[in-house]
Amino acid sequence: MPKLNENFLKLQNNYLFAEIAHRTAAYTEANPDKPLIRLGIGDVTLPLSDIVLQALHQSVDEMGNSGSFKGYGPEQGYEKTRTAISDYYKRNGVSVDADDIFISDGAKSDTGNITDLFGHDNIILIPDPVYPVYVDSNTMCGNQITYISATAENDFLPMPDHNQHVDLIYICSPNNPTGACYNKKQLQEWVDYAIANEAVILFDSAYEAFISDPELPRSIYAIEGAKKCAIEFCSLSKTAGFTGTRCGYTIVPKELVFRASNGEEMSLHAMWNRRQSTKYNGTAYIIQNAAAAVFSEEGMAQCRKNIQYYQRNAQIIANTMTELGIRFYGGLHSPYIWFECPNGMDAWTCFDYLLNQIQVVGTPGAGFGENGKNFFRLTSFGNYENTVEAMNRFRKLFC
Ligand code: MLT
């Protein structure tokens, strides 16, 4: 009998969104006449933009022609896609070498897979609450986690404790689930702390496209010194509606070099390249071609229209919360609204209450960590009419 990875015993039975889907399916089966409004998982509802569709069609045709057919691609990603991303960063005032960009099938996989590069005795700092993938993937490989509290008292933006040493730091900004977004000064403090501690920041910028204030950093590399201490993960899921199309990228600067226990220098860039070459055969050419179109100026203009649609939904939810006197965070530089459960409910009670009373599905904050136990998350990725209707139901329920 094989010895199993018993770290799995430490995980909750279901991944958060699988649990929500499970409870929601049970409700629908018992109440087939009560249609649900789903504002739970951050899954987009608008179709892909025209420029993406054109690129997809064109590359499908290329695959059907012996002259342009592509087999295995480079594990790191096609140069065209990496250059398009690097140019996009440049337009946002951030310099990133196309060679440091690795194309993937999404930020979720890479934020999980990155644990391959690190030992198992690191001090790993993860905010609570947080996107559950960071916690689950570290738990799966037996890593110990040190939590840092994100609460209303620190505006859900915890800052480093300069008296404590850590080796790895997970930061998601704009944050999933709270919607909080670090400013440059705050991120500079994290970068300075990481450099002083020879720590690595694992920066998830999956929601950067929702930042509407040009002063707020959309990449960790907008911060001085970050290339010496940070890996950045990003995704096209929310930027360009690729939740079903699957594409993301990870930036591992060549400056990230540390010493092994035998004194040898180890480059995280070289290690990630080695890891990807072994375990990943690259993102499909068709998808990478569409991704390159996303990062063109015209592509971004089209994607921005969809983002504005979701931002309007976020505004509708935020206005309703204000009207009802429910304390909330996010919704401004983020597609998520994070609110305090009304009437002292805990998060899962609030989930059942909203499901049963008004057939609105959200995400209980408890699924993101202990500090989320009295909070609830709604997403603005639904369609406009459903968002308006959900908020009408909120008004009736909580007025
Ligand atoms: C969420 O709802 O938190 C996101 O959709 C999860 C993800 O992007 O994987």
Side-chain angles (χ1 to χ4, degrees):
M1 189 177 96
K3 291 194 179 58
L4 303 184
N5 179 355
E6 295 189 3
N7 293 313
F8 276 68
L9 293 172
K10 300 178 205 151
L11 297 170
Q12 288 180 350
N13 269 353
N14 279 333
Y15 179 61
L16 172 61
F17 295 105
E19 176 64 27
I20 292 170
H22 176 72
R23 289 194 188 207
T24 309
Y27 181 85
T28 307
E29 202 181 314
N31 303 276
D33 54 328
K34 292 191 175 160
L36 302 179
I37 299 182
R38 293 170 195 272
L39 303 180
I41 190 165
D43 196 1
V44 294
T45 46
L46 291 175
L48 296 170
S49 54
D50 287 346
I51 198 163
V52 169
L53 289 178
Q54 275 165 24
L56 286 170
H57 285 299
Q58 181 209 321
S59 21
V60 167
D61 288 343
E62 283 178 51
M63 293 300 269
N65 182 316
S66 58
S68 49
F69 170 79
K70 302 263 185 306
Y72 290 127
E75 291 92 355
Q76 200 175 338
Y78 285 98
E79 199 180 330
K80 174 180 173 180
T81 316
R82 290 186 285 110
T83 303
I85 295 171
S86 170
D87 289 347
Y88 167 68
Y89 272 67
K90 208 173 291 159
R91 293 199 299 276
N92 286 332
V94 175
S95 150
V96 167
D97 191 343
D99 257 10
D100 289 350
I101 300 172
F102 294 79
I103 310 298
S104 70
D105 66 349
K108 179 178 183 172
S109 331
D110 281 2
T111 51
N113 293 335
I114 201 76
T115 52
D116 279 2
L117 303 197
F118 301 99
H120 296 302
D121 46 5
N122 284 309
I123 303 174
I124 302 170
L125 195 66
I126 301 188
D128 170 2
V130 85
Y131 181 41
V133 171
Y134 315 153
V135 172
D136 284 3
S137 51
N138 276 287
T139 304
M140 281 176 194
C141 53
N143 292 345
Q144 293 295 322
I145 297 168
T146 301
Y147 290 98
I148 180 168
S149 270
T151 60
E153 284 63 46
N154 57 24
D155 291 325
F156 292 99
L157 294 170
M159 295 304 296
D161 172 354
H162 294 277
N163 296 316
Q164 179 194 27
H165 166 82
V166 304
D167 303 299
L168 289 172
I169 304 159
Y170 283 81
I171 297 179
C172 175
S173 179
N175 188 266
N176 180 10
T178 68
C181 184
Y182 282 107
N183 64 30
K184 278 194 182 144
K185 188 163 170 276
Q186 291 165 324
L187 278 189
Q188 187 70 62
E189 189 172 333
W190 274 113
V191 165
D192 293 345
Y193 169 84
I195 292 173
N197 281 273
E198 289 191 275
V200 173
I201 295 176
L202 302 171
F203 189 80
D204 184 347
S205 64
Y207 299 93
E208 60 85 16
F210 281 79
I211 294 181
S212 44
D213 177 350
E215 287 305 309
L216 291 173
R218 296 167 67 146
S219 161
I220 191 76
Y221 305 117
I223 308 300
E224 209 182 311
K227 285 189 184 154
K228 282 186 263 170
C229 67
I231 291 175
E232 180 159 302
F233 306 89
C234 200
S235 158
L236 280 76
S237 287
K238 323 292 158 145
T239 304
F242 270 46
T243 51
T245 314
R246 307 308 310 148
C247 192
Y249 58 91
T250 292
I251 304 173
V252 191
K254 289 188 204 67
E255 288 88 333
L256 288 171
V257 177
F258 294 89
R259 229 166 251 294
S261 51
N262 67 1
E264 214 177 299
E265 282 197 335
M266 291 182 85
S267 148
L268 287 180
H269 178 96
M271 287 167 74
W272 185 246
N273 193 39
R274 182 71 178 81
R275 190 255 172 227
Q276 293 297 82
S277 310
T278 302
K279 295 193 182 181
Y280 191 60
N281 254 339
T283 305
Y285 169 73
I286 296 166
I287 303 299
Q288 290 200 50
N289 222 15
V294 163
F295 291 106
S296 66
E297 292 198 40
E298 174 54 21
M300 280 318 295
Q302 291 186 11
C303 290
R304 185 130 294 283
K305 285 210 178 95
N306 288 2
I307 289 170
Q308 282 163 355
Y309 175 96
Y310 298 130
Q311 284 171 326
R312 179 171 63 149
N313 288 346
Q315 190 62 56
I316 289 165
I317 301 173
N319 290 347
T320 311
M321 295 298 150
T322 306
E323 198 182 312
L324 295 173
I326 299 173
R327 192 152 69 128
F328 74 96
Y329 301 81
L332 185 56
H333 304 295
S334 152
Y336 297 128
I337 285 87
W338 177 249
F339 65 86
E340 213 163 356
C341 300
N343 310 328
M345 276 183 279
D346 69 57
W348 279 107
T349 305
C350 187
F351 176 86
D352 290 332
Y353 185 64
L354 295 177
L355 180 61
N356 286 296
Q357 298 296 316
I358 57 173
Q359 292 75 51
V360 172
V361 180
T363 308
F368 298 101
E370 179 64 19
N371 286 330
K373 65 176 187 282
N374 295 113
F375 283 84
F376 204 80
R377 196 195 76 177
L378 290 179
T379 155
S380 65
F381 286 121
N383 75 34
Y384 172 76
E385 290 74 18
N386 280 349
T387 306
V388 170
E389 173 55 20
M391 291 303 102
N392 287 339
R393 295 184 193 178
F394 258 70
R395 270 192 213 93
K396 284 195 197 124
L397 192 63
F398 293 115
C399 235

